[in-house]
Amino acid sequence: MTMTLYDTMTRSKREFIPIDSPLVKIYCCGLTVYNYAHIGNLRTYVFEDLLRRTLLFNGYKVHHVQNVTDVGHMTTDADAGDDKMQLAAEREKKSPWEIALFYEQAAISDFKALNIQIPEDMPRATDHVVEMIELIQKLEKKGFTYVTSEGVYFDTSKYPEYGKLARLNLSEQRQGAREEVIADETKKNPSDFVLWFLNKPTHIMKWESPWGPGYPGWHIECSAMSMKYLGESFDIHCGGIDHIPVHHTNEIAQSECATGHTFTNYWLHGEFLLTKIESDHDGGFGKESKSKGEFNTLKSLKDKGFDPLAYRYLCMQAHYRSELKFSTDILEAATTGLRKVYSLKRENDPLAHDNEAFQAAKTRVLDAINDDLALPLAVGYLNSYGSLSLWKEFDPILGLDIAERSNKAKEAIPAEVQSLIDLRNQARKDKDWTASDSLRNQLIEIGYEVGDGPQGTTVKKRTI
Ligand code: AMP
Ligand code: ZN
């Protein structure tokens, strides 16, 4: 079995070879827990879960780490503005710790509802301040830092490879910065970034440090925690594409300057989920983001009657490196598609009695998935085979609860439901439409889809 993955660093698909097979070490940038996750964030976590599950399906063991950002992520990725945690604490009149715990738990319940497997480690930034300080000291000893009234900075001019992931042109950036105003005038170079914030008296979360009381910059947490849990070099680092130019660029600078060797062997980035911009009358789409105020959460989809697994299924219908334009219409279509999968019948399975054909189909689907997670192609194949057993075979990757939901579709009709059906058939014979409608509603309420066939009322247990 060969897997290829698209590596942002080389801008190419590369065969995946782990450092210490069969173990695969993965680090994914986690949520900043200052609000509910929006469905764009969740798209990225579904993509990372599909990667994890594909590795497991291929026989690898996985050590997956996903941090929880509960301090230091400013309202811009480039250190300016305020700490998002601090703002949320002011907004909700709670402590930043209460905010963090609440939204971390909310995120975990979203992950569970979406069948996202919980990573082996989910370390919180605030529990790793000591490790971050040690890493900054290491960088300081090697001469990569300087201190100003604003904080301890990473000096990007000391690292010639700075910006290699995003292919940044630093001389252009410096030129540009001369024309724009650099937000922080104590910085030596526009691309320098904060490792430790100083002199922020109103910031609630603060720790002692060799440079004075303050709090860590956002990027240092990922370098410190990934290295603590996975070692100085590991296999795969993931995140959304927004992290390429700043966050991941800075993680690489800190980590490689501290250790002297490659931080991560494969960089995988998920494209954005876009939603309609209300004010755009041409029907334009923009990045789903919390700063817009109103944003879609898993709860808001559930409130509209959608099943979380329909959202998961929708995520598989766009390649992780393509934009996904979200609308309730396409979620509706995904729901209908998934309902069809759940109602596939064992008796009509075209591959059930032909092992050779089953194995050939399995290879075709797996080859697609192993080719940089081409889930849309794989799902297309699965739909064209229409084989319940093949869908079930891949459910360890898909995570759609195929066996449970399709059994539900085929459950025998209980006696009390049958008696409601009989009553409704009688009411229709008597042309008592009020009674017929009310019985129909009762059946819907207890979880059935109701239809009218030539023999009278038909029902099916609702699976989604
Ligand atoms: P954050 O909480 O902002 O650190 O984001 C958590 C994860 O969601 C990161 O991997 C981001 O890159 C990703 N992300 C943010 N916005 C979107 C979006 N609209 N679509 C897909 N992923 C996103
Ligand atoms: Zn990170």
Side-chain angles (χ1 to χ4, degrees):
M1 120 228 87
T2 309
M3 261 182 95
T4 56
L5 296 173
Y6 184 89
D7 173 24
T8 308
M9 184 66 87
T10 58
R11 304 288 194 276
S12 64
K13 270 195 220 173
R14 293 170 51 213
E15 184 179 342
F16 176 63
I17 302 168
I19 297 168
D20 189 15
S21 190
L23 184 63
V24 179
K25 296 180 179 179
I26 311 177
Y27 186 86
C28 298
C29 291
L31 277 172
T32 307
V33 281
Y34 71 110
N35 210 327
Y36 291 105
H38 62 57
I39 59 171
N41 301 133
L42 294 172
R43 180 190 184 197
T44 293
Y45 296 116
V46 168
F47 138 58
E48 292 160 352
D49 181 62
L50 290 167
L51 169 67
R52 166 197 172 92
R53 285 167 171 268
T54 301
L55 290 162
L56 291 170
F57 193 88
N58 281 310
Y60 292 116
K61 291 185 169 41
V62 168
H63 186 174
H64 178 182
V65 179
Q66 183 178 303
N67 64 305
V68 175
T69 298
D70 55 1
V71 67
H73 190 175
M74 311 304 271
T75 44
T76 74
D77 283 358
D79 298 332
D82 297 298
D83 185 338
K84 293 178 179 186
M85 296 304 302
Q86 172 107 1
L87 286 185
E90 286 163 15
R91 180 186 74 221
E92 297 190 22
K93 308 210 174 351
K94 288 183 189 160
S95 79
W97 282 272
E98 285 170 313
I99 295 282
L101 201 60
F102 178 83
Y103 289 114
E104 180 186 316
Q105 281 167 358
I108 288 176
S109 38
D110 284 353
F111 295 162
K112 288 187 176 158
L114 286 165
N115 276 347
I116 292 172
Q117 296 179 343
I118 304 300
E120 280 66 28
D121 289 298
M122 289 189 71
R124 298 184 185 117
T126 52
D127 291 335
H128 294 79
V129 174
V130 171
E131 286 83 348
M132 292 188 234
I133 291 176
E134 283 169 4
L135 188 56
I136 301 169
Q137 284 178 308
K138 208 165 169 182
L139 289 167
E140 186 172 50
K141 249 189 224 139
K142 292 189 170 191
F144 288 106
T145 66
Y146 60 91
V147 183
T148 79
S149 57
E150 297 297 305
V152 183
Y153 281 86
F154 184 94
D155 185 345
T156 54
S157 69
K158 300 272 170 68
Y159 177 48
E161 289 182 29
Y162 183 81
K164 63 183 173 181
L165 180 71
R167 305 197 171 175
L168 301 176
N169 182 333
L170 290 193
S171 56
E172 250 173 40
Q173 246 194 35
R174 282 184 199 120
Q175 186 64 37
R178 238 173 276 148
E179 283 139 31
E180 288 170 31
V181 185
I182 304 177
D184 173 3
E185 284 170 1
T186 71
K187 279 209 286 200
K188 289 188 189 165
N189 310 290
S191 49
D192 294 354
F193 56 91
V194 176
L195 299 166
W196 186 264
F197 285 99
L198 289 168
N199 299 317
K200 303 281 180 276
T202 57
H203 199 272
I204 302 167
M205 291 174 141
K206 267 198 290 264
W207 291 264
E208 285 305 324
S209 83
W211 311 278
Y215 63 99
W218 171 37
H219 320 294
I220 196 73
E221 68 172 89
C222 286
S223 292
M225 293 194 278
S226 60
M227 289 201 261
K228 170 168 177 176
Y229 290 90
L230 300 176
E232 293 183 354
S233 287
F234 54 92
D235 298 299
I236 306 175
H237 195 313
C238 298
I241 50 157
D242 50 333
H243 286 348
I244 300 171
V246 181
H247 183 54
H248 289 168
T249 288
N250 294 348
E251 277 187 43
I252 293 170
Q254 298 160 157
S255 309
E256 298 196 352
C257 290
T259 68
H261 43 250
T262 305
F263 178 42
T264 302
N265 282 347
Y266 299 81
W267 283 93
L268 268 60
H269 290 99
E271 251 291 354
F272 285 147
L273 175 127
L274 308 178
T275 40
K276 276 216 176 77
I277 305 169
E278 292 308 329
S279 57
D280 185 338
H281 299 296
D282 299 329
F285 280 79
K287 172 184 181 269
E288 177 75 316
S289 106
K290 290 173 201 171
S291 55
K292 285 195 307 200
E294 289 260 312
F295 54 88
N296 294 292
T297 60
L298 197 62
K299 182 177 179 306
S300 72
L301 299 187
K302 283 198 271 187
D303 289 347
K304 288 183 186 143
F306 290 109
D307 190 302
L309 292 188
Y311 180 66
R312 183 176 172 100
Y313 187 53
L314 174 65
C315 290
M316 291 174 205
Q317 291 173 358
H319 191 264
Y320 77 90
R321 285 193 290 117
S322 306
E323 286 176 348
L324 170 55
K325 285 186 178 156
F326 177 80
S327 67
T328 47
D329 287 349
I330 61 162
L331 187 53
E332 197 86 62
T335 304
T336 309
L338 191 52
R339 192 173 290 137
K340 268 195 206 137
V341 176
Y342 291 151
S343 57
L344 287 172
K345 295 200 169 70
R346 228 165 318 172
E347 308 84 84
N348 307 335
D349 194 325
L351 301 176
H353 305 292
D354 186 345
N355 189 43
E356 215 171 287
F358 180 88
Q359 292 306 330
K362 181 178 166 184
T363 304
R364 191 162 174 236
V365 174
L366 186 57
D367 283 351
I369 299 177
N370 279 343
D371 180 12
D372 191 32
L373 307 179
L375 264 300
L377 188 62
V379 165
Y381 290 153
L382 285 165
N383 274 310
S384 67
Y385 289 117
S387 156
L388 182 59
S389 50
L390 194 62
W391 275 101
K392 278 194 201 158
E393 183 76 14
F394 282 99
D395 206 38
I397 297 180
L398 306 172
L400 294 171
D401 290 350
I402 310 255
E404 297 85 331
R405 299 284 187 112
S406 69
N407 285 342
K408 198 170 158 189
K410 285 150 207 111
E411 269 169 23
I413 294 170
E416 61 274 22
V417 175
Q418 190 56 51
S419 64
L420 290 175
I421 295 171
D422 294 343
L423 283 172
R424 183 167 184 270
N425 285 339
Q426 189 56 48
R428 287 175 70 78
K429 254 192 216 153
D430 300 342
K431 300 200 182 331
D432 182 351
W433 308 121
T434 317
S436 152
D437 282 353
S438 136
L439 286 157
R440 184 174 192 279
N441 289 340
Q442 282 184 53
L443 285 162
I444 291 171
E445 238 164 64
I446 56 173
Y448 286 85
E449 286 170 44
V450 183
D452 291 306
Q455 316 298 327
T457 303
T458 59
V459 298
K460 255 198 325 201
K461 185 98 181 155
R462 202 169 41 244
T463 52
I464 180 167

